[in-house]
């Protein structure tokens, strides 16, 4: 043990002094993990099991095993109630914080000491005195000693990582975290971040958790499942002890003669089911009777864990049980002086009761001076609490609350403890105290950036508050905290409850909160529109009936009411625009902007600017939207507002791509990364991932795009969304784009008949598949079904992307009438890049599609269209889009029979070179239509591409798919896809017939 290790380790060390049996396989797995960790490969083991399985005891034994093995062991645990949001990290962090502050632990690179500065470099800097002080301050926030101030959640997480790095740099580090099933969302985010950022450290992290259904919280399952994808993360499940283990325990711990132990072990094992805690309790009960207890084990023994604890309570003197019950009410850790203060008996009697409970093995000391005690197992405390009559338990909570209140609580955790006990006693007439302390705890918790836990506290305050207006206020504060934590669905549900209540004084504010959470989830905004309209109308009627107030108060209220009305108006305009009613929504948002500027103040104007970013998709809107996003960015930077910088950066990315301004995109994406780091708001991380995917596709980096898409699917599933909304739709579009480019759509040909019900499926997707697979009749049916139903039926976010599918189909089919409809729809996008959704995928320049349509229609200057598209593609570094534009340009000449001023062969040759380099089978297939003009080979039979002819020649030589892949330097899956496509196109049943086909058609030369 190093000199600065946490004092909490004493508990683990003492626990390891008792007999430990069994678990040989599990201890072996942990020792293997330790060996890997010492070698510099961070290892994580989640130890799971039922209550009483021996998880904590296994961790204690591991601490004892490794504590003398050149390791620093830090340990923390989660209490079942009243814990800090950052438990179980509080004790380990406190140990490292003290050592860093005292200089005993050199800081190996400091965390940021202040809030992230938009636009500034975040490079690490040497740990000078100021940086060390900044890191210590951040660790104080994690420990609950001070508010975060301007620091971000990422700052806090990075400070813990920096401390762990420092500890591991001195000697290999073991971090033991017990009872993590009781950890909150904030602690799980910290644990996940720590694991993700420490892959190359000599660190072993072992976390124990209950595996029973009632203890498997949603965030536990979600975070643990996400971590399993990382190297070095494994699970160890503890099965029941075996009968041989019980026999060993009887001999070593209970000192039962070996022969007798062998005779009764099976019976003890059968009674306890191999549960380690129950076995220990039962053996201690039998031991209390002396040898006769084991000679006649069928006597009166506890049939369950609960009965075992009750039996232990029965050993106490009659007056001692109330003291133990009081201890259970106080919490997991019970300070002796608090127990004495709140006890009903004189102090000396309470101390006597405490000694008796320690002797009966119900409680154990936390330190040598017995300044605090704890129950030997959480099960024991649960049993004692469950046996206390409700009225008595309530009275005990009140007694504890008053004692804690008299001491004065300052930290968030201390205030939360007072709040918890007053809340439990509110039925005794202490609602006001419960509400006051719950709300104060929520404020302090939010200041520590633990938004999820702060929301829980606000909701608890609302539940016990009999003041209707104040309770509604608490619910809306909870909704805001949920939104700040990315829980948009839960935020909406809380706000809707108030917004739909015609009696609530906070109805308009709730409607604003509902819409603010809703638009971020891309859910249809009809409910937002209804709630806002109803609340605005009611607010107007109430304003007409307001009574006179003193002038100053009247002025303040009027100002607040007007600001809320502006927010509501901006939100209503945004909701209408999301619902495709922009002609109604735009005037509302524009007027809200004017009113916000007139009222003054950054907060109101920033909200109005955020709302204005959804307006308009035409080229005439792009400059205005970009200007507003830039103004919003500047205001957010000045006020360190990362929450609203996110939408500003996202829309700057969209507008930069749409306008073809690579510099704007690059700067905006840097801000997005800053927002993700600073706020941990993963919807911005998801959007940034979409931008990465689109960038890779445009540049022709298809393998990197595929990896980005897979990562996005995982990220998307971490976001809280409605049951019918998720990342699968976006993932499907991305996979279609990738498969279309790589020529792998043939895999789904057998799943399509051409007669699919267009009303039951996503018709644009079917149209794109039919078009690419050459199913022309089905494509024509889907194309006109979409035209007749109106392409404007698509959501504003996907409409432009869908139009590219319609354009491709009309041109491929040579359908002039359909082309005329699509051309009119696409016209407003001239001069812009088109994206599918919010950069779910980049589709290239609109002018490329307009050029193909103009060539089809024989109207307009399609040569100029293609020239503008090519200039856009090259400016953006979009290599694959350049190839598509060149190929479409060349095809337009071939289809129209005109040479114009272009060298069609040069266009096709460059397109072929790019497509070959990036692996775009789609472009190569398009170039079959201009075969020979680019100096390339003539058009091949059955629509075979040049790559497929290469593969077919190797098939004819008798090569396997693996040998073909090795010869052409492609993957085995790609080789298999090529062979499958060849068989489908040529109608051959097998490879032998395909070889004959190649010979017959002269493809082997």
């Amino acid at each position: 043990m190093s000199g600065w290790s946490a004092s909490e380790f004493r508990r683990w060390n003492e626990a390891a002094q008792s007999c430990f049996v069994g678990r040989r396989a599990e201890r072996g797995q942990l020792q293997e993990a330790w060996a890997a960790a010492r070698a510099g490969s961070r290892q994580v083991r989640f130890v799971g099991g039922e209550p009483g399985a021996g998880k904590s005891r296994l961790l204690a034994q591991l601490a004892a095993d490794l504590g003398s093995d050149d390791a620093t062991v830090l340990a923390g645990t989660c209490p079942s109630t009243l814990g800090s949001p950052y438990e179980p990290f509080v004790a380990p962090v406190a140990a490292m914080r003290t050592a860093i502050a005292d200089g005993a632990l050199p800081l190996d690179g400091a965390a940021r000491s202040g809030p992230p500065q938009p636009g500034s470099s975040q490079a690490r800097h040497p740990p000078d005195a100021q940086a060390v002080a900044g890191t210590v301050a951040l660790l104080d926030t994690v420990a609950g000693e001070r508010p975060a101030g301007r620091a971000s959640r990422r700052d806090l997480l990075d400070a813990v990582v920096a401390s762990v790095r420092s500890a591991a740099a001195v000697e290999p580090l073991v971090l033991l975290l017990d009872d993590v099933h009781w950890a909150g969302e904030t602690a799980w985010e910290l644990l996940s971040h720590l694991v993700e950022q420490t892959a190359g450290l000599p660190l072993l992290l072992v976390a124990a958790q209950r595996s029973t259904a009632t203890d498997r919280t949603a965030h536990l399952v979600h975070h643990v499942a996400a971590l399993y994808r990382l190297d070095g993360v494994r699970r160890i499940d503890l099965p029941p002890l075996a009968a041989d283990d019980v026999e060993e325990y009887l001999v070593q711990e209970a000192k039962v003669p070996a022969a007798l132990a062998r005779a009764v072990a099976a019976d003890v094992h059968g009674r306890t089911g191999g549960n380690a805690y129950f076995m220990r309790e039962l053996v201690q009960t039998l031991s209390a009777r002396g040898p006769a207890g084991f000679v006649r084990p069928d006597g009166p023994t506890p049939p369950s864990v609960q009965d075992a604890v009750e039996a232990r309570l029965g050993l106490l003197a009659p007056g001692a049980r109330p003291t133990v019950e009081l201890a259970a009410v106080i919490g997991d850790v019970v300070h002796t002086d608090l127990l004495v203060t709140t006890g009903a008996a004189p102090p000396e009697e309470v101390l006597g009761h405490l000694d008796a409970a320690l002797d009966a093995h119900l409680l154990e000391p936390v330190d040598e001076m017995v300044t605090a005690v704890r129950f030997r197992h959480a099960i024991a405390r649960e049993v004692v609490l469950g046996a206390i009559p409700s009225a008595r338990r309530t009275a005990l909570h009140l007694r504890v609350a008053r004692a804690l209140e008299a001491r004065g609580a300052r930290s968030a955790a201390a205030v939360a403890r007072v709040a918890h006990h007053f809340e439990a006693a509110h039925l005794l007439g202490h609602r006001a105290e419960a509400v006051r302390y719950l709300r104060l705890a929520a404020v302090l918790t939010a200041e520590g950036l633990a938004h999820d836990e702060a929301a829980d506290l606000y909701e608890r305050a609302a539940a016990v508050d009999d003041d209707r207006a104040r309770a509604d206020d608490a619910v809306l504060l909870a909704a805001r905290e949920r939104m700040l934590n990315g829980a948009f669905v839960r935020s909406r549900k809380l706000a809707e409850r108030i917004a739909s209540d015609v009696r609530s004084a906070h109805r308009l504010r709730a409607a604003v909160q509902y819409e603010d959470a809703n638009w971020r989830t891309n859910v249809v905004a009809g409910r937002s529109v209804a709630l806002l309209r109803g609340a605005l109308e009611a607010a107007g009627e109430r304003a007409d009936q307001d009574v006179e107030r003193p002038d100053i108060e009247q002025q303040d209220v009027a100002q607040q009411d007007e600001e809320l009305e502006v927010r509501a108006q901006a939100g209503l305009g945004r909701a209408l625009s999301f619902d495709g009613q922009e002609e109604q929504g735009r005037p509302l948002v524009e007027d809200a902007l004017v009113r916000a500027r007139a009222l003054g103040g950054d907060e109101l104007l920033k909200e109005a600017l955020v709302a204005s970013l959804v307006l308009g998709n035409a080229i005439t809107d792009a400059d205005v939207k970009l200007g507003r996003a830039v103004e919003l960015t500047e205001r957010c930077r000045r006020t360190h507002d990362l929450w609203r910088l996110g939408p500003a950066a996202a829309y700057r990315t969209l507008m930069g791509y749409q306008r073809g301004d690579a510099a704007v995109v690059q700067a905006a994406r840097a801000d997005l990364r800053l927002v993700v780091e600073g706020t941990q708001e993963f919807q911005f991380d998801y959007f940034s991932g979409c931008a990465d995917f689109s960038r890779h596709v445009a540049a022709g980096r298809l393998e990197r795009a595929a990896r980005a898409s897979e990562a996005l699917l995982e990220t998307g599933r971490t976001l809280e969304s409605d049951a019918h909304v998720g990342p699968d739709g976006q993932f499907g579009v991305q996979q279609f784009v990738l498969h279309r480019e790589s020529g792998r759509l043939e895999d789904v040909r057998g799943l399509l008949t051409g007669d699919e019900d267009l009303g039951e499926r996503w018709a644009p997707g079917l149209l794109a598949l039919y078009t690419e697979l050459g199913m022309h009749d089905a494509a024509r049916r889907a194309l006109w079904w979409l035209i007749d139903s109106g392409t404007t039926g698509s959501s504003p976010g996907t409409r432009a992307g869908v139009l590219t599918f319609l354009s491709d189909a009309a041109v491929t089919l040579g359908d002039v009438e359909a082309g005329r409809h699509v051309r009119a729809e696409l016209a407003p996008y001239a001069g812009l890049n088109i994206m599918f959704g919010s950069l779910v995928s980049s589709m290239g320049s609109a002018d490329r599609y307009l050029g193909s349509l103009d060539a089809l229609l024989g109207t307009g200057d399609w040569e100029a269209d293609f020239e503008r598209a090519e200039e856009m593609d090259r400016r953006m570094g979009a290599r694959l889009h350049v190839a598509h534009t060149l190929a479409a340009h060349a095809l337009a000449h071939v289809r129209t029979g005109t040479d114009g001023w272009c060298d069609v062969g040069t266009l096709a040759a460059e397109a072929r070179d790019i497509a070959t380099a990036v692996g775009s089978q789609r472009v190569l297939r398009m170039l079959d239509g201009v075969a020979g003009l680019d100096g390339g080979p003539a058009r091949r039979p059955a629509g075979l591409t040049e790559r497929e002819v290469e593969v077919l020649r190797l098939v004819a030589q008798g090569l396997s798919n693996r040998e073909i892949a090795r010869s052409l330097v492609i993957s085995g899956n790609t080789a298999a896809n090529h062979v499958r496509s060849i068989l489908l196109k040529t109608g051959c049943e097998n490879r032998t017939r395909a070889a004959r086909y190649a010979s017959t058609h002269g493809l082997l030369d």
Side-chain angles (χ1 to χ4, degrees):
M1 297 290 294
S2 72
W4 54 269
S5 295
S7 60
E8 272 288 279
F9 177 73
R10 182 182 177 280
R11 171 207 172 192
W12 300 77
N13 194 33
E14 288 187 346
Q17 302 307 310
S18 61
C19 174
F20 186 83
V21 298
R23 307 302 183 206
R24 292 172 182 80
E26 292 80 4
R27 290 177 74 180
Q29 293 175 47
L30 290 172
Q31 287 291 345
E32 290 176 4
W34 171 235
R38 290 193 64 176
S41 174
R42 184 266 299 123
Q43 298 293 306
V44 179
R45 296 295 181 269
F46 287 101
V47 177
E50 65 175 355
K55 303 178 293 297
S56 300
R57 183 64 185 82
L58 179 61
L59 264 61
Q61 189 61 43
L62 181 65
D65 292 344
L66 302 184
S68 59
D69 192 18
D70 295 327
T72 296
V73 180
L74 297 177
T77 188
C78 285
S80 57
T81 57
L82 314 176
S84 162
Y86 291 95
E87 296 283 10
F89 289 96
V90 171
V93 164
M96 292 185 289
R97 178 258 180 231
T98 300
I100 291 170
D102 294 344
L105 177 61
L107 188 60
D108 183 31
R112 292 182 294 237
S113 57
Q117 301 296 316
S120 66
S121 171
Q122 298 297 334
R124 300 183 70 83
H125 47 75
D128 55 23
Q130 183 178 359
V132 169
T135 299
V136 169
L138 293 169
L139 296 179
D140 281 341
T141 298
V142 174
E145 298 299 326
R146 70 169 74 188
R150 284 186 168 180
S152 69
R153 181 88 67 89
R154 180 59 181 262
D155 292 326
L156 301 182
L157 305 186
D158 283 346
V160 176
V161 171
S163 303
V164 168
R165 288 185 180 279
S166 302
V170 175
E171 59 185 5
L173 178 64
V174 181
L175 186 57
L176 305 177
L177 307 176
D178 199 15
D179 292 331
V180 295
H181 50 274
W182 284 321
E185 178 67 23
T186 300
W188 274 104
E189 286 185 15
L190 174 52
L191 192 154
S192 299
H193 183 72
L194 178 64
V195 172
E196 290 170 354
Q197 298 295 315
T198 55
L201 290 187
L203 167 67
L204 172 61
L205 188 155
V206 184
Q209 64 185 50
R210 289 183 179 179
S211 57
T212 46
T214 54
D215 296 301
R216 289 170 59 81
T217 59
H219 53 249
L220 182 151
V221 172
H222 161 69
H223 284 288
V224 172
L227 289 174
Y228 282 147
R229 64 182 169 80
L230 301 177
D231 291 338
V233 181
R234 301 285 185 274
R235 180 187 177 98
I236 297 176
D237 289 307
L238 299 187
L241 292 173
D244 289 346
D245 301 327
V246 175
E247 180 182 339
E248 183 181 353
Y249 185 83
L250 289 170
V251 172
Q252 293 190 18
E253 183 71 14
K255 308 304 179 185
V256 176
L260 179 57
R262 192 176 307 113
V264 301
D267 183 73
V268 173
H269 180 267
R271 291 174 182 234
T272 62
N275 182 278
Y277 175 70
F278 189 14
M279 178 201 70
R280 185 180 69 179
E281 295 299 298
L282 179 59
V283 169
Q284 288 183 347
T285 299
L286 294 172
S287 296
R289 303 179 192 163
F294 294 98
V295 174
R296 294 190 300 275
D298 57 343
T301 57
S304 69
V305 175
Q306 288 84 353
D307 292 326
V309 176
E310 283 289 349
R312 196 62 45 76
L313 284 168
L315 298 176
L316 300 176
R321 177 163 183 152
T323 298
V324 175
E325 291 175 341
L326 176 60
V329 168
I330 289 174
D332 293 277
V333 176
V334 183
H335 290 278
T336 306
D337 60 341
L338 179 61
L339 189 64
V340 170
T341 302
T342 54
E348 59 275 10
E349 288 188 26
V350 172
L351 292 175
H353 300 160
L354 182 59
D355 288 338
L358 291 169
D359 291 341
H361 301 290
L362 277 165
L363 300 173
E364 63 184 8
V366 171
D367 53 32
E368 293 179 2
M369 302 301 294
V370 198
T371 60
V373 297
R374 72 174 84 239
F375 282 86
R376 294 187 69 190
H377 199 285
I379 293 175
R381 177 171 178 260
E382 292 164 6
V383 171
V384 173
L385 274 176
I388 305 173
S390 176
R392 172 169 164 73
R393 189 166 60 246
T394 302
L396 291 177
H397 276 295
L398 178 58
R399 193 186 305 169
V400 175
R402 284 172 169 163
L404 290 173
E405 182 182 39
R407 295 181 171 206
R410 297 179 181 272
S411 68
V415 172
R417 280 193 288 272
V418 178
H420 168 76
H421 290 293
F422 270 124
E423 179 188 20
H426 77 275
L427 292 176
L428 298 178
H430 294 274
R431 290 180 186 272
E433 292 94 331
V435 170
R436 181 170 72 252
Y437 281 109
L438 284 167
R439 291 180 67 119
L440 177 57
V443 170
L444 295 174
T445 301
E447 287 178 349
L449 305 183
H451 299 298
D452 196 63
E453 289 77 6
D456 288 340
L457 289 164
Y458 277 126
E459 289 189 59
R460 287 166 62 179
V464 300
D465 200 340
D466 53 7
D467 183 301
R468 183 61 178 275
R470 191 172 57 203
D472 286 353
D473 173 70
V475 170
L476 292 179
L477 290 170
R480 180 178 181 277
E481 295 298 326
R482 296 288 184 207
M483 188 176 74
L484 290 173
N485 207 47
F488 300 119
V489 175
R490 282 180 287 173
S491 178
R492 277 205 335 255
K493 288 180 178 178
L494 290 171
E496 185 176 19
R497 199 168 80 206
I498 310 301
S500 57
D501 185 352
V502 296
R503 299 168 299 170
S504 177
H506 296 288
R507 185 181 176 192
L508 182 57
R509 179 178 151 211
V512 170
Q513 176 64 51
Y514 179 93
E515 190 277 334
D516 198 16
N518 187 72
W519 77 268
R520 301 170 192 274
T521 59
N522 290 321
V523 176
V524 175
R527 184 59 175 159
S528 295
V529 171
L531 291 173
L532 282 165
R533 279 178 168 164
L536 279 167
E537 183 178 337
E541 294 173 356
R542 190 164 55 249
D544 294 337
Q545 302 168 3
D546 275 349
V547 297
E548 290 293 326
R549 295 186 178 92
D551 290 344
I552 296 178
E553 182 184 349
Q554 187 74 32
Q555 219 170 14
D556 290 343
V557 171
Q559 172 85 3
Q560 294 170 9
D561 287 349
E562 186 171 6
E563 289 181 358
L564 182 57
E565 185 181 323
V566 170
R567 288 186 172 90
Q569 182 179 322
L572 178 57
R574 175 168 54 200
L576 287 166
S577 297
F578 263 113
D579 262 5
Q581 303 177 62
E582 187 167 320
E583 68 283 356
Q584 297 181 45
R586 182 186 288 269
L588 292 173
V589 176
E590 299 289 359
D591 183 58
L593 265 175
V594 172
R595 294 176 66 185
R597 293 187 192 281
L599 287 169
D602 269 329
E603 294 304 304
L604 182 62
L605 181 54
K606 283 188 293 187
E607 289 201 20
L609 285 169
V610 170
S612 73
L613 296 178
V614 307
L615 301 176
N617 291 300
I619 190 170
T620 53
D621 296 311
D623 289 338
V624 174
K625 291 174 71 170
L626 183 58
R628 288 173 177 171
V630 169
E631 179 187 358
L632 178 59
T633 297
E634 291 170 350
R635 290 179 179 275
C636 289
R637 284 176 173 169
R638 187 173 65 249
T639 57
H640 308 288
D641 185 347
L642 293 180
W643 178 251
R644 295 187 185 88
L645 180 62
Y651 275 96
R652 281 163 50 221
T653 304
L654 294 175
M655 294 302 99
Y657 172 75
Q658 194 176 52
R659 290 159 49 94
D661 192 327
V664 169
V665 173
Q666 184 176 3
R669 290 189 66 256
D671 279 350
L672 268 178
R673 286 193 296 272
L674 189 65
V675 168
V676 173
E677 289 183 358
T679 66
Q680 299 294 289
E681 297 300 335
F682 293 108
Q683 75 271 22
F684 297 126
D685 191 22
Y686 185 82
F687 175 84
S688 182
C690 286
D692 283 341
F693 172 85
S694 296
R695 185 165 51 93
H696 292 321
V697 167
R701 298 186 290 265
L702 300 182
E703 288 189 6
R704 291 182 66 181
R707 290 196 297 271
S709 181
E710 293 289 344
L712 273 171
L713 182 62
E714 187 171 324
T715 301
R717 286 174 176 166
T718 68
L719 302 176
E720 184 181 88
S721 59
D722 294 79
H724 63 286
V725 178
D728 299 309
Q730 293 93 323
F731 180 74
V733 170
Q734 291 172 350
Q735 291 301 300
F736 168 77
V737 169
L738 292 173
H739 283 63
R740 181 170 68 171
E741 289 301 332
S742 59
R744 292 162 56 197
L745 290 180
E746 288 292 340
D747 294 350
V748 301
R749 182 186 291 274
L751 303 177
L752 298 173
T753 65
D755 298 322
E756 282 77 17
D757 187 339
L758 298 173
E760 294 295 324
R761 307 287 183 89
W762 188 51
L766 283 172
L767 170 64
L769 282 170
Y770 293 153
T771 302
E772 294 300 319
L773 294 173
M775 302 172 67
H776 290 175
D777 290 341
R780 187 171 289 104
R781 178 174 69 93
L783 175 62
W784 277 101
W785 186 90
L786 282 165
I787 291 174
D788 290 340
S789 63
T791 56
T792 53
S794 303
S795 68
T798 61
R799 181 171 175 269
V802 167
L803 287 173
T804 67
F805 292 168
L806 272 67
S807 174
D808 289 339
V811 171
T812 299
L813 297 171
D815 192 323
V816 174
E817 187 60 26
R820 188 172 292 112
H821 282 279
V822 178
R823 176 63 170 81
E825 294 276 2
L826 265 175
Y829 299 93
L832 301 176
N833 275 317
I834 288 181
M835 67 192 88
F836 205 104
S838 295
L839 272 180
V840 170
S841 184
S842 54
M843 311 305 287
S845 170
D847 288 317
R848 182 214 308 164
Y849 299 96
L850 292 171
S852 295
L853 289 167
D854 284 341
L856 171 68
L857 299 173
T859 59
D861 188 350
W862 51 269
E863 290 271 25
D865 291 338
F866 284 120
E867 183 180 0
R868 287 192 298 272
E870 184 182 340
E871 191 278 329
M872 171 81 85
D873 296 338
R874 294 188 189 278
R875 186 170 74 241
M876 294 295 291
R879 197 177 179 199
L880 179 58
H881 289 168
V882 169
H884 274 291
T885 297
L886 294 173
H889 192 173
L891 271 173
H893 280 289
V894 171
R895 287 168 175 161
T896 60
T898 60
D899 292 335
W901 52 267
C902 291
D903 182 342
V904 177
T906 300
L907 294 175
E910 183 181 0
R912 184 179 298 279
D913 288 344
I914 296 174
T916 301
V918 303
S920 174
Q921 298 299 317
R922 185 180 184 224
V923 171
L924 292 174
R925 189 173 65 250
M926 290 170 63
L927 292 172
D928 287 343
V930 291
L933 294 179
D934 60 344
R939 185 180 180 89
R940 299 301 189 180
L944 294 172
T945 66
E946 288 306 307
R947 174 63 86 180
E948 287 169 343
V949 171
E950 288 183 84
V951 172
L952 183 53
R953 287 170 179 162
L954 296 177
V955 169
Q957 294 175 28
L959 271 65
S960 67
N961 288 349
R962 180 178 297 177
E963 291 168 331
I964 292 171
R966 188 180 304 116
S967 175
L968 297 179
V969 195
I970 58 179
S971 70
N973 285 337
T974 300
N977 287 331
H978 282 316
V979 171
R980 192 179 301 112
S981 177
I982 290 167
L983 297 178
L984 286 168
K985 288 182 177 181
T986 60
C988 295
E989 299 174 359
N990 51 46
R991 300 167 80 98
T992 301
R993 289 187 178 275
R996 291 176 184 171
Y997 181 96
S999 176
T1000 302
H1001 289 80
L1003 299 178
L1004 301 182
D1005 299 333

